[in-house]
Amino acid sequence: MGARSMCTYVRTHDVSMIIDPSVALGPRRYNKPPHPIEIRAMSEMWDKIRKYAFSADVIIITHYHYDHHNPEYADLFKNKILLTKHPSENINKSQTKRAAYFFDSIKDIPSEIFYSDGDSFTFGGTRADFSKAVPHGINSKLGYVTEVCIDDGERFVYTSDVEGPSLPEQADFIIESDPDVLYCDGPMTYMLGFRYPQKNLDLSIGNLIRMIESTRVQKIVLDHHLLRDIRWRERMRTLIAYARASGTDVMTAAEFMGMPDLVYEARRSELYKNYPVTPISI
């Protein structure tokens, strides 16, 4: 949708939840800072996120990267139930510092705070089940995240930043949750062969196919890291063909919402070429 975010609003008969209410931009891409079109998209998205966050009963934070939480807007958390990744267990040094700053910022603002790792929470007939902390990507260098399944009879799984999922512990939670709808951070193919090995792409595709085979999933939303690659459909063609033959829809978050794909970061050089401006640092 034009910026880095996986923010998702979920409403059931019992409760409204917002997951990872934040948005950011890639600081450098193709040796260029964000184009003003990207900055405008981020601003518009943040306005929408704030609107839905204020109306939510529960806020979920899966990890402490700034495209998944924003410590500068403590008012979002006023009188909310906060279900958040543990700030000191299964976490790297960078996110430990960010978590400490976040908790200092929000202090006593939420009505209740719970560490969610591996736990379950019930709101009337709705249950939120969280995975144990799983690696952010193909290893733990970037820390850990929690995946979440929201179940009110229909099951929605949100993977957070698994960059795949290529690892067994990431995939197992999804399969065990047996989702109807899966919102998955896809492989980081824009760094294929550099920070993201081909073997992890192959494992991710294999795991997603296994989910189609062994769960009730009808819709797979692939986004986030994957959509930073203009060639993502080509990279995922094996999965897309298998899903189509199996009657499972594979789509982006924008497509799920009936909107066009705005892969601005992947098109940053094109934006500067077609809409010349003086680069703006953010």
Side-chain angles (χ1 to χ4, degrees), residues 150-176:
I150 299 175
D151 182 0
D152 70 340
E154 183 179 11
R155 295 178 188 167
F156 169 70
V157 168
Y158 172 100
T159 69
S160 190
D161 285 7
V162 295
E163 296 177 13
S166 66
L167 302 183
E169 57 266 47
Q170 298 165 340
D172 288 349
F173 176 80
I174 300 168
I175 292 171
E176 290 166 6

Side-chain angles (χ1 to χ4, degrees), residues 92-271:
N92 65 352
K93 186 175 181 180
S94 171
Q95 289 200 55
T96 299
K97 291 181 179 178
R98 293 182 183 192
Y101 179 69
F102 172 62
F103 277 95
D104 185 59
S105 298
I106 63 171
K107 294 183 179 176
D108 298 324
I109 292 175
S111 61
E112 295 180 278
I113 299 175
F114 300 96
Y115 301 150
S116 60
D117 312 37
D119 210 341
S120 296
F121 304 86
T122 301
F123 305 91
T126 299
R127 198 168 89 170
D129 296 326
F130 289 81
S131 71
K132 295 179 181 179
V134 299
H136 182 301
I138 61 175
N139 54 50
S140 60
K141 287 182 180 178
L142 292 176
Y144 295 80
V145 305
T146 53
E147 303 173 274
V148 58
C149 174
I150 299 175
D151 182 0
D152 70 340
E154 183 179 11
R155 295 178 188 167
F156 169 70
V157 168
Y158 172 100
T159 69
S160 190
D161 285 7
V162 295
E163 296 177 13
S166 66
L167 302 183
E169 57 266 47
Q170 298 165 340
D172 288 349
F173 176 80
I174 300 168
I175 292 171
E176 290 166 6
S177 297
D178 193 18
D180 297 277
V181 178
L182 169 63
Y183 183 19
C184 183
D185 172 31
M188 192 170 64
T189 57
Y190 76 112
M191 291 193 172
L192 191 64
F194 172 50
R195 281 179 51 195
Y196 199 87
Q198 179 68 44
K199 69 174 184 179
N200 290 94
L201 174 57
D202 295 339
L203 286 168
S204 297
I205 292 172
N207 281 334
L208 288 163
I209 287 175
R210 187 157 60 98
M211 291 164 196
I212 294 172
E213 293 173 336
S214 59
T215 75
R216 69 176 85 177
V217 68
Q218 294 297 306
K219 294 181 180 180
I220 298 177
V221 180
L222 290 177
D223 215 282
H224 209 40
H225 284 90
L226 181 63
L227 268 290
R228 298 173 199 175
D229 183 357
I230 201 74
R231 298 172 56 197
W232 77 268
R233 292 184 192 275
E234 176 186 341
R235 312 277 199 200
M236 304 299 287
R237 61 185 180 276
T238 302
L239 169 68
I240 293 169
Y242 186 90
R244 185 181 297 117
S246 303
T248 301
D249 294 326
V250 174
M251 65 195 74
T252 66
E255 289 171 334
F256 183 87
M257 297 295 292
M259 299 166 58
D261 286 329
L262 303 176
V263 286
Y264 288 152
E265 181 178 327
R267 295 172 48 215
R268 189 173 291 176
S269 288
E270 177 188 337
L271 291 177

